[in-house]
Amino acid sequence: MRRLTFLASTIPKDFSITKLHFNFLDIKRFAHVVAKRNERFSCLSDSDISVFKSIVGEERVIMDDTNLESFNTDYMRKYRGTSRVALKPTTTQQVSEILKYCNSRVIAVNTQGGNTGLVGGSVPLFDEVVLSTRGMDKIVGFDDDGGALVAQAGGVL
């Protein structure tokens, strides 16, 4: 089981402290929630990694701890995940193939854009596959008259 930590400011104001079953001192700064991995999701295997490499190429399958750090940690460095693999597709076709495969094998997926959120929403909880759109960072077009920019999903604006 994993223990997740949330700032107390993220708890709705109308939520009763007594419902949390914590005393005031415990909830004053943090609320703790224990999450359990859903056993219906498959664990990653070597054959899964091979399929991912065939879809996005070996260099876009991140598995070493040093490079996984940025995928497993949020922008503010408050939350830490434990994913073993991050994928960096460059096309929507690759994204589609990854999701189709993960769906067929019931593998949990955690999507990430620029990973610049401030509340840990893009950090994997367990061993989810991180599907990062960082490799999809091209500007598709710009409308000079309207000032509208069209970018791929991984573009950090």
Side-chain angles (χ1 to χ4, degrees):
M1 295 226 265
R2 287 245 343 196
R3 182 171 293 278
L4 306 177
T5 304
F6 299 94
L7 287 176
S9 61
T10 63
I11 299 171
K13 291 185 184 340
D14 63 339
F15 197 83
S16 168
I17 297 296
T18 57
K19 288 182 186 175
L20 288 174
H21 303 290
F22 292 109
N23 67 36
F24 182 75
L25 294 175
D26 291 334
I27 196 69
K28 189 173 183 183
R29 181 164 161 80
F30 297 101
H32 299 283
V33 179
V34 176
K36 185 177 179 205
R37 185 183 186 282
N38 188 332
E39 295 301 322
R40 78 177 186 94
F41 290 109
S42 301
C43 292
L44 285 177
S45 68
D46 290 339
S47 63
D48 296 326
I49 301 301
S50 296
V51 170
F52 296 144
K53 287 179 180 179
S54 74
I55 295 172
V56 297
E58 192 165 339
E59 71 283 352
R60 296 201 160 274
V61 177
I62 313 301
M63 294 185 62
D64 63 283
D65 290 338
T66 303
N67 288 326
L68 275 175
E69 180 71 23
S70 67
F71 298 98
N72 278 319
T73 308
D74 74 314
Y75 182 74
M76 300 295 289
R77 300 204 167 280
K78 291 181 185 177
Y79 306 101
R80 173 93 173 96
T82 56
S83 178
R84 292 181 29 228
V85 64
L87 307 176
K88 293 174 53 176
T90 57
T91 67
T92 55
Q93 180 63 34
Q94 289 175 342
V95 171
S96 178
E97 289 178 38
I98 292 165
L99 292 175
K100 188 182 303 181
Y101 177 77
C102 289
N103 185 55
S104 71
R105 285 264 300 116
V106 193
I107 296 172
V109 177
N110 190 84
T111 57
Q112 282 186 359
N115 200 18
T116 57
L118 303 177
V119 295
S122 66
V123 176
L125 289 177
F126 302 105
D127 58 349
E128 300 94 337
V129 170
V130 174
L131 179 59
S132 172
T133 59
R134 289 182 193 179
M136 302 173 66
D137 60 354
K138 307 287 183 280
I139 294 175
V140 177
F142 182 75
D143 179 0
D144 288 325
D145 296 330
L149 176 82
V150 178
Q152 291 179 321
V156 179
L157 303 176

